[in-house]
């Protein structure tokens, strides 16, 4: 742990993360989406077209759940599947050019209120905050993959030896 942390740093940071999670949930609700759907649209907006397998990896969903996610978003007019010309079996998923959501209206309160917070800092302090964001995002993603890997390992250890999955019992 870092030595120069303020008192109660853990609680302060948990409150921050909880507030971000609550905001993401409220934004998804305002858009009429599940939080995973909202997150997926953000991932596609930043990364561009992705294969269903890459979407499954990034969202932590199974391939079946990812197919249902893509179906929901496609039915709502938010994404489309694009087949490769050379191999029609290869598919990528991309945002539709005119996303059928008023994202600007949904995120405006956060932009405005966080803008007020950033305005209270010096340009140098804002630069440090954005340096933190840039460096913390990959750390959080790495931690996400580590936690998912640990959870998978725990589930495997909890499965009695010799038992088969539901699929194997069909």
């Amino acid at each position: 742990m870092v030595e120069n942390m303020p008192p109660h740093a853990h609680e302060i940071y948990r409150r921050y993360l909880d507030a971000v999670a609550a905001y993401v949930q409220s934004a998804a609700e305002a858009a009429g989406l599940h939080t995973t759907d909202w997150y997926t649209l953000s991932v596609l907006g930043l990364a561009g077209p992705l294969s269903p397998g890459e979407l499954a990896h990034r969202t932590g969903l199974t391939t079946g759940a990812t197919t249902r996610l893509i179906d929901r978003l496609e039915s709502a007019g938010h994404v489309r599947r694009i087949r490769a010309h050379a191999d029609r079996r290869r598919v990528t998923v991309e945002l539709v050019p005119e996303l059928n959501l008023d994202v600007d209206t949904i995120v405006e309160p956060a932009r405005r209120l966080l803008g007020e917070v950033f305005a209270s800092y010096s340009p140098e302090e804002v630069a440090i905050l954005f340096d933190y964001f840039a460096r913390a995002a990959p750390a959080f993603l790495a931690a996400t993959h580590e936690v998912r890997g640990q959870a998978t390992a725990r589930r495997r250890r909890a499965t009695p030896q010799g038992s088969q999955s539901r699929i194997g019992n069909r």
Side-chain angles (χ1 to χ4, degrees), residues 63-117:
T63 55
T66 301
T67 298
R68 290 187 298 278
L69 165 79
I70 296 166
D71 289 345
R72 273 194 315 272
L73 292 174
E74 190 174 44
S75 293
H78 303 314
V79 303
R80 63 182 172 201
R81 289 176 168 97
I82 305 296
R83 297 199 180 279
H85 294 292
D87 183 351
R88 302 289 292 160
R89 294 171 296 176
R90 291 186 46 109
V91 173
T92 56
V93 179
E94 67 179 17
L95 291 176
V96 296
E98 293 298 322
L99 190 60
N100 191 20
L101 290 172
D102 189 0
V103 175
D104 287 334
T105 299
I106 294 168
V107 300
E108 187 281 328
R111 286 181 179 158
R112 177 178 36 80
L113 294 168
L114 290 172
E116 292 171 10
V117 171

Side-chain angles (χ1 to χ4, degrees), residues 1-159:
M1 193 69 184
V2 178
E3 298 292 325
N4 62 349
M5 291 293 206
H8 309 292
H10 179 72
E11 290 87 1
I12 293 167
Y13 200 65
R14 280 184 53 200
R15 282 187 188 94
Y16 166 76
L17 292 178
D18 288 350
V20 170
Y23 171 73
V24 168
Q25 185 173 0
S26 71
E29 289 169 1
L33 298 171
H34 301 281
T35 54
T36 303
D37 297 14
W38 179 260
Y39 172 65
T40 300
L41 295 177
S42 179
V43 166
L44 289 170
L46 290 170
L50 295 172
S51 71
E54 181 61 22
L55 273 178
H57 174 74
R58 290 186 185 214
T59 60
L61 297 174
T62 64
T63 55
T66 301
T67 298
R68 290 187 298 278
L69 165 79
I70 296 166
D71 289 345
R72 273 194 315 272
L73 292 174
E74 190 174 44
S75 293
H78 303 314
V79 303
R80 63 182 172 201
R81 289 176 168 97
I82 305 296
R83 297 199 180 279
H85 294 292
D87 183 351
R88 302 289 292 160
R89 294 171 296 176
R90 291 186 46 109
V91 173
T92 56
V93 179
E94 67 179 17
L95 291 176
V96 296
E98 293 298 322
L99 190 60
N100 191 20
L101 290 172
D102 189 0
V103 175
D104 287 334
T105 299
I106 294 168
V107 300
E108 187 281 328
R111 286 181 179 158
R112 177 178 36 80
L113 294 168
L114 290 172
E116 292 171 10
V117 171
F118 292 137
S120 70
Y121 290 97
S122 70
E124 295 80 15
E125 290 169 325
V126 171
I128 290 170
L129 286 169
F130 278 85
D131 176 67
Y132 162 77
F133 297 148
R135 294 165 73 186
F140 270 121
L141 290 175
T144 298
H145 295 301
E146 190 174 321
V147 167
R148 285 180 180 155
Q150 291 168 352
T152 299
R154 278 193 303 277
R155 283 192 299 274
R156 286 186 181 140
R157 285 192 302 271
T159 303

